[in-house]
Amino acid sequence: MRVVRRLVVGVVAISALTLNGAVPSDAAPVANTCGGALQDYIGTGGLDVPFTGTAHASDDRPMTVAPLFLNSSEVKVEISAGSNESRYAIGPLHLRADPTGRGQISFDSYAGDGWSTNISCAAGTRVTAITGRVFVDDLDSSIDFTVRRT
């Protein structure tokens, strides 16, 4: 009986708030200024070229972040630790947009995950460079990376 009474009281209270206009309206949309939409990384009208660069440890390791399918968040992140030592992970690109409309991403890597600390757009909203941190197989902590595309 006590649970039912609390439920009824809760429904009545929510209804009263809604009728009195106390429920906040929808938030204003964030305008995309650089990397705030999935297409800024994947491509529009066709699959975009991969990001290539390096992950920086005591040695520079070739790194690629490649979109796999148009209108999909799936990316392949590959990092090489030397000849015949390439490892990759395929998974979703997670995108968040800050209040200024700039994107922030995270993704899977073979040894854990990676995330952006800064993105750059040469013109418009298409991302042309990503810097960040990524975990690699042979180190306990994340390392810096920089990948670019033209």
Side-chain angles (χ1 to χ4, degrees), residues 1 25 131:
M1 182 66 175
S25 63
T131 57

Side-chain angles (χ1 to χ4, degrees), residues 38-51:
L38 184 61
Q39 294 79 9
D40 299 335
Y41 303 87
I42 306 299
T44 57
L47 199 58
D48 213 328
V49 296
F51 294 91

Side-chain angles (χ1 to χ4, degrees), residues 121-144:
C121 297
T125 62
R126 179 180 177 264
V127 176
T128 54
I130 306 167
T131 57
R133 306 279 299 172
V134 65
F135 282 97
V136 294
D137 190 48
D138 60 331
L139 297 173
D140 291 332
S141 59
S142 63
I143 60 174
D144 292 324

Side-chain angles (χ1 to χ4, degrees), residues 23-60:
V23 175
S25 63
D26 292 339
V30 174
N32 182 10
T33 59
C34 178
L38 184 61
Q39 294 79 9
D40 299 335
Y41 303 87
I42 306 299
T44 57
L47 199 58
D48 213 328
V49 296
F51 294 91
T52 59
T54 55
H56 314 286
S58 58
D59 56 339
D60 281 343

Side-chain angles (χ1 to χ4, degrees), residues 7 22 24 27 32 49 57 64-68 71 75 77 94 98 104 109 111 113-115 120 124 143-144 147:
L7 179 61
N32 182 10
V49 296
T64 303
V65 178
L68 295 178
N71 298 321
V75 293
V77 176
H94 300 281
D98 69 17
Q104 302 169 351
S109 74
D113 58 350
W115 59 94
S120 298
I143 60 174
D144 292 324
V147 291

